[in-house]
Amino acid sequence: MDRISSRSRGVEGVEFGGQKISSLLFADDVVLLAPSNRDLQQMLGRFATECEVAGMRISTSTSESMVLARKKVECLLQVGEEVLPQVEEFKYLGILFTSEGRMEREIDKQIGAASAVMWALNRSVVVKKELSRKAKLSIYRSIYVPVLTYGRQRWVMTERTRSRIQAAEMSFLRRVAGPSLRDRVRSSDIREGLGVEPLLLHIERSQLGWLGHLARMPSGRLPLEVFRTCPTGRRPHGRPRTRWRDYISRLAWERLGVPPEELMEVAGERAAWASLLKLLPPRPGSR
């Protein structure tokens, strides 16, 4: 697939901080990126030709097009005589991307998936009296939490998402512990009784840990260059959306006391950064 991609590569691509990104590859999954419908059709045509030369073909039944824009823009792409469907949402490597570039749908999807897991296990595991609390918490940590927090490193957390994640977390833990909402037992007391750390703490530690990986990447690696880059152009009217870089900088300042101008230097020190993350306390005011 690398050879097919390199042979079909042209001058098209999305400019981002001086770099031109034309494709993203993972195994046999390929994402082609271009600034216009015309450029993308040319890239797709060359890619389809190189696939045929290699004895492969593009699966039109699983291929879709999507335009990243706040307003709806039509993008008709063809592979041979077949027109690819244009969608508003697209799942790539388990992550849901939307045409508007919003993250709330992705987080809501993970909460819904975790809820489905909990209800599937409710009678056979969660509330089953014959099963020990230790076994239930093992299932919570190994199945429920990974489903709920998949892709958490790239989330931009708001008060709404924090509240929803806490509600999903406690929905499982209250069933394990016994007290319901009517018993008016604080969530923090239930976690303490079960010996479980707050899920928001787990998420923030993972996000700051990913920042450490970024800071230690050698110059030229695409994730690091994308993180460093400030997109050009004007933002639309209204309240601007929070960039992940701004979010993680504020998080490190509020939770670790590391100022933004020193963040990459401190995060680049593996041992020191790991020590800071181990000492990260629960978020003040968390229930």
Side-chain angles (χ1 to χ4, degrees):
M1 193 57 68
D2 287 338
R3 183 172 61 184
I4 292 174
S5 179
S6 61
R7 287 182 175 179
S8 63
R9 189 171 294 132
V11 297
E12 304 91 353
V14 177
E15 290 279 354
F16 201 84
Q19 292 201 45
K20 185 168 285 188
I21 305 172
S22 59
S23 63
L24 302 174
L25 308 177
F26 182 84
D28 61 345
D29 287 330
V30 182
V31 176
L32 300 179
L33 304 168
S36 68
N37 190 350
R38 177 174 172 273
D39 288 349
L40 193 54
Q41 182 63 67
Q42 290 178 348
M43 292 174 65
L44 184 59
R46 289 196 304 269
F47 189 83
T49 300
E50 290 298 331
C51 283
E52 292 176 0
V53 171
M56 303 171 67
R57 65 182 181 84
I58 296 175
S59 174
T60 54
S61 62
T62 58
S63 299
E64 299 169 327
S65 69
M66 188 174 76
V67 178
L68 290 172
R70 296 199 177 191
K71 296 182 179 179
K72 192 169 183 178
V73 178
E74 189 177 54
C75 179
L76 297 178
L77 299 176
Q78 285 185 282
V79 178
E81 298 299 321
E82 296 189 60
V83 178
L84 300 183
Q86 183 177 347
V87 297
E88 301 297 317
E89 300 177 347
F90 186 81
K91 182 181 279 190
Y92 182 63
L93 303 183
I95 301 295
L96 186 70
F97 293 87
T98 67
S99 58
E100 292 183 339
R102 291 187 176 277
M103 200 166 297
E104 290 85 352
R105 284 279 297 116
E106 160 65 13
I107 298 176
D108 290 345
K109 179 184 72 69
Q110 294 305 132
I111 292 174
S115 178
V117 167
M118 184 185 67
W119 285 113
L121 298 174
N122 188 49
R123 290 192 176 182
S124 60
V125 175
V126 182
V127 297
K128 191 173 184 179
K129 294 182 179 179
E130 295 80 4
L131 203 62
S132 69
R133 180 175 287 183
K134 181 179 179 181
K136 294 177 181 179
L137 291 178
S138 178
I139 292 171
Y140 168 77
R141 294 187 180 98
S142 61
I143 299 178
Y144 186 75
V145 170
V147 171
L148 178 58
T149 62
Y150 183 79
R152 62 191 175 276
Q153 290 86 350
R154 53 180 284 278
W155 290 353
V156 173
M157 302 288 286
T158 63
E159 289 305 316
R160 175 185 176 275
T161 56
R162 289 190 183 100
S163 178
R164 293 210 63 203
I165 288 170
Q166 279 188 320
E169 168 197 20
M170 295 312 302
S171 179
F172 193 108
L173 294 181
R174 285 184 183 277
R175 284 176 169 82
V176 173
S180 67
L181 287 173
R182 292 179 180 178
D183 296 317
R184 304 183 67 84
V185 180
R186 290 179 60 87
S187 300
S188 56
D189 294 336
I190 292 177
R191 292 193 200 98
E192 185 177 349
L194 295 174
V196 176
E197 75 171 14
L199 193 55
L200 290 180
L201 177 61
H202 171 68
I203 292 172
E204 291 180 346
R205 189 180 287 128
S206 296
Q207 292 175 331
L208 293 166
W210 171 241
L211 174 65
H213 287 303
L214 281 174
R216 293 188 294 273
M217 284 182 182
S219 183
R221 284 284 303 276
L222 184 59
L224 177 60
E225 296 305 317
V226 170
F227 176 76
R228 287 174 172 172
T229 298
C230 288
T232 57
R234 297 179 61 183
R235 284 190 166 191
H237 293 293
R239 182 180 179 180
R241 296 177 187 171
T242 304
R243 302 186 182 100
W244 189 83
R245 182 176 61 181
D246 299 332
Y247 161 76
I248 203 69
S249 297
R250 186 172 67 247
L251 182 66
W253 171 242
E254 292 176 351
R255 305 285 279 116
L256 297 174
V258 180
E261 61 272 13
E262 300 176 11
L263 181 57
M264 295 304 284
E265 180 182 353
V266 176
E269 297 291 334
R270 183 188 297 271
W273 191 244
S275 298
L276 282 174
L277 296 188
K278 286 181 180 179
L279 298 174
L280 187 69
R283 173 171 283 273
S286 61
R287 296 176 296 170

